[in-house]
């Protein structure tokens, strides 16, 4: 029998305490933001029914939950567990507010990208439950093509007769997240990686690859394909209205397309440059507080979370591909299967603290280049300098 995060002795200890007292011996407190609260509460109910361990799920705001967690944990007033995306991991570790969690043999059941996401400085800090990325989404009523290059996609979209051959959100502050797959196809990933494949704080999106991408951005702006006037809401609505043949978006919008009765397909993002297009991959995970008052019960919860049943539950409730490939592959939802395939070959979003210095300069520069406010080569070079200075000042 496998031994994973929690040995059988942990289960016995918790349930024995519960039996002796006639009620649960410990109450786990979990913080979940408003987008995941209902899902986590449902999972917690199943966990309690299986173990007798009570769980108090507290709804928090997505915008500042990580900040509140970092502030409250040292005081002893934080939760036992918190559920967030993996990209907060570096900052949480640096602040000393999360505890290592040994995945043990359970790690083999999760995808490589999921395990990598919960790993920082050679230690694992939580249990993943879903992976997600953007992908190319096709309106099947307008075209049946499966383009592998950006130029082929634009040509296909034009043949379809759609008002927009392709629509993608940008906004006046830019949107590096949605554009990242195209950027990587020019050989310009955001950070360098070391021999172990871990991100360093050295930027990798300068040089000729970054300049080539910047020039391409300007060309697409001149062609009227990209525009800061296209916000997320506008891009979504244009696709919903049948005015676009293709878009790049994530499962959060595909669900809305399905609800509207659209026939869509989820495909890999086509390459604009000479290399594969690698969208950012995000991993959702549960972290354990460094000051948890109930570490035994927390380990039991993690053991439960690492089972196919719990992973299936979260996949069904959240509509996101499970961090366990075997669970995602068995889904009846084709979108989940297709997004899982795209994520498998994507680029894990950096979780290092330096990433916090990147977004604002990066996005604004992309928007400025598209509008002509900055010239491609000079604007991109200035961005690199500004980001490096921001990283050095932290």
């Amino acid at each position: 029998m496998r031994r994973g995060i929690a040995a059988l002795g942990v289960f016995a200890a918790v349930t024995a305490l519960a039996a002796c007292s006639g009620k649960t011996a410990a109450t786990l407190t979990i913080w979940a933001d408003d987008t995941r609260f209902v899902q986590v509460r449902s999972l917690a109910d199943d966990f309690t029914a299986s173990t007798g361990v009570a769980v108090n799920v507290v709804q928090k705001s997505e915008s500042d939950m990580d900040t509140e967690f970092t502030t409250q944990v040292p005081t002893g007033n934080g939760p036992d567990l918190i559920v967030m995306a993996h990209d907060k991991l570096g900052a949480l570790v640096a602040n000393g507010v999360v505890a290592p969690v040994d995945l043990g043999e359970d790690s083999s059941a999760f995808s490589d990208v999921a395990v990598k996401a919960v790993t920082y400085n050679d230690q694992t800090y939580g249990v993943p439950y879903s992976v997600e990325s953007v992908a190319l989404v096709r309106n099947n009523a307008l075209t049946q093509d499966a383009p592998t290059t950006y130029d082929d996609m634009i040509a296909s979209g034009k043949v379809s007769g759609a008002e927009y051959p392709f629509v993608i959100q940008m906004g006046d502050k830019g949107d590096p997240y949605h554009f990242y797959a195209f950027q990587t196809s020019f050989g310009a990933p955001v950070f360098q990686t070391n021999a172990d494949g871990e991100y360093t704080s050295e930027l990798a999106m300068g040089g000729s690859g970054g300049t080539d991408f910047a020039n391409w951005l300007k060309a697409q702006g001149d062609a009227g394909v990209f525009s800061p006037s296209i916000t997320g809401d506008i891009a979504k609505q244009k696709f919903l209205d049948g005015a676009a043949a293709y878009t790049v978006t994530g499962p959060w919008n595909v669900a809305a397309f399905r609800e509207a009765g659209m026939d869509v397909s989820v495909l890999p993002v086509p390459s604009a440059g000479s290399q594969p297009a690698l969208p950012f991959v995000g991993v959702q995970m549960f972290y354990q507080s460094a000051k948890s008052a109930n570490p035994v019960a927390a380990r039991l919860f993690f053991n439960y979370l690492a089972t196919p049943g719990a992973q299936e539950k979260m996949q069904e409730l959240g509509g996101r591909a499970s961090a366990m490939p075997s669970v995602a592959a068995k889904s009846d939802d084709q979108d989940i299967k297709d997004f899982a395939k795209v994520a498998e070959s994507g680029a894990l979003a950096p979780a290092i603290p330096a990433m916090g210095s990147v977004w604002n300069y990066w996005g604004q520069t992309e928007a400025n280049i598209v509008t002509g406010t900055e010239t491609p080569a000079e604007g991109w070079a200035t961005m690199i300098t500004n980001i490096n200075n921001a990283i050095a000042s932290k």
Side-chain angles (χ1 to χ4, degrees):
M1 184 176 294
R2 72 172 176 84
R3 292 174 61 87
I5 300 163
L8 292 181
V10 176
F11 179 87
V14 174
T15 53
L17 286 172
C20 289
S21 63
K23 58 182 180 180
T24 54
T27 297
L28 277 177
T29 297
I30 302 177
W31 282 6
D33 65 41
D34 38 15
T35 67
R36 280 175 283 240
F37 173 72
V38 174
Q39 303 165 33
V40 175
R41 186 172 60 182
S42 180
L43 181 74
D45 288 345
D46 286 357
F47 170 72
T48 299
S50 299
T51 65
V53 178
V55 180
N56 178 31
V57 183
V58 180
Q59 183 173 338
K60 293 290 183 177
S61 170
E62 182 182 18
S63 63
D64 60 2
M65 183 174 70
D66 58 324
T67 302
E68 184 179 358
F69 179 75
T70 300
T71 302
Q72 292 298 318
V73 166
T75 69
N77 294 320
D80 298 291
L81 307 176
I82 189 169
V83 55
M84 287 190 298
H86 83 279
D87 61 358
K88 305 292 186 182
L89 179 56
L92 296 177
V93 172
N95 284 304
V97 293
V98 289
V101 176
D102 184 9
L103 287 175
E105 294 179 10
D106 288 318
S107 63
S108 63
F110 294 107
S111 65
D112 290 342
V113 71
V115 174
K116 187 175 181 181
V118 302
T119 303
Y120 195 81
N121 290 339
D122 297 324
Q123 285 190 301
T124 51
Y125 281 89
V127 179
Y129 73 86
S130 74
V131 297
E132 67 181 18
S133 72
V134 297
L136 182 69
V137 180
R138 180 184 69 197
N139 183 336
N140 294 332
L142 297 176
T143 179
Q144 295 291 314
D145 294 339
T148 57
T149 69
Y150 177 86
D151 290 342
D152 285 348
M153 178 190 66
I154 296 298
S156 170
K158 289 180 177 179
V159 169
S160 77
E163 177 185 355
Y164 294 87
F166 170 65
V167 67
I168 185 171
Q169 68 182 68
M170 173 171 266
D172 59 5
K173 301 298 183 183
D175 197 323
Y177 175 79
H178 280 83
F179 280 77
Y180 191 64
F182 296 129
Q183 181 175 321
T184 58
S185 75
F186 285 92
V190 57
F191 286 114
Q192 301 280 3
T193 53
N194 60 25
D196 295 324
E198 296 178 343
Y199 287 110
T200 71
S201 59
E202 182 180 354
L203 291 178
M205 55 183 177
S208 60
T211 302
D212 289 346
F213 173 65
N215 286 325
W216 177 80
L217 278 176
K218 181 60 164 58
Q220 302 314 307
D222 291 345
V225 181
F226 300 161
S227 172
S229 67
I230 302 295
T231 63
D233 288 341
I234 291 175
K236 177 182 177 180
Q237 193 59 52
K238 290 296 183 182
F239 196 81
L240 277 168
D241 291 343
Y246 299 95
T247 189
V248 164
T249 191
W252 49 88
N253 278 342
V254 171
F257 301 156
R258 295 289 188 194
E259 290 170 4
M262 296 186 72
D263 179 16
V264 300
S265 290
V266 176
L267 307 169
V269 179
S271 294
S274 61
Q275 298 185 29
L278 309 177
F280 273 138
V281 177
V283 176
Q284 301 296 332
M285 60 182 286
F286 284 81
Y287 303 80
Q288 179 179 328
S289 165
K291 298 288 187 179
S292 170
N294 302 292
V296 174
R299 288 173 62 194
L300 183 59
F301 181 85
F302 283 141
N303 197 51
Y304 172 72
L305 184 62
T307 64
Q311 292 283 319
E312 289 171 8
K313 176 88 171 183
M314 290 300 285
Q315 179 173 267
E316 179 182 352
L317 292 171
R320 302 293 190 271
S322 170
M324 286 185 176
S326 61
V327 172
K330 290 189 293 185
S331 174
D332 294 330
D333 188 326
Q334 189 61 45
D335 293 336
I336 283 178
K337 292 180 179 180
D338 291 339
F339 271 113
K341 290 178 182 177
V342 173
E344 283 175 9
S345 57
L348 183 67
I352 58 177
M355 193 65 185
S357 301
V358 173
W359 292 111
N360 290 340
Y361 290 115
W362 193 9
Q364 193 62 67
T365 299
E366 288 185 351
N368 290 347
I369 288 172
V370 166
T371 61
T373 304
E374 294 185 75
T375 58
E378 289 77 7
W380 200 257
T382 299
M383 177 197 75
I384 296 296
T385 298
N386 287 336
I387 293 174
N388 277 327
N389 289 340
I391 292 173
S393 68
K394 293 299 178 68

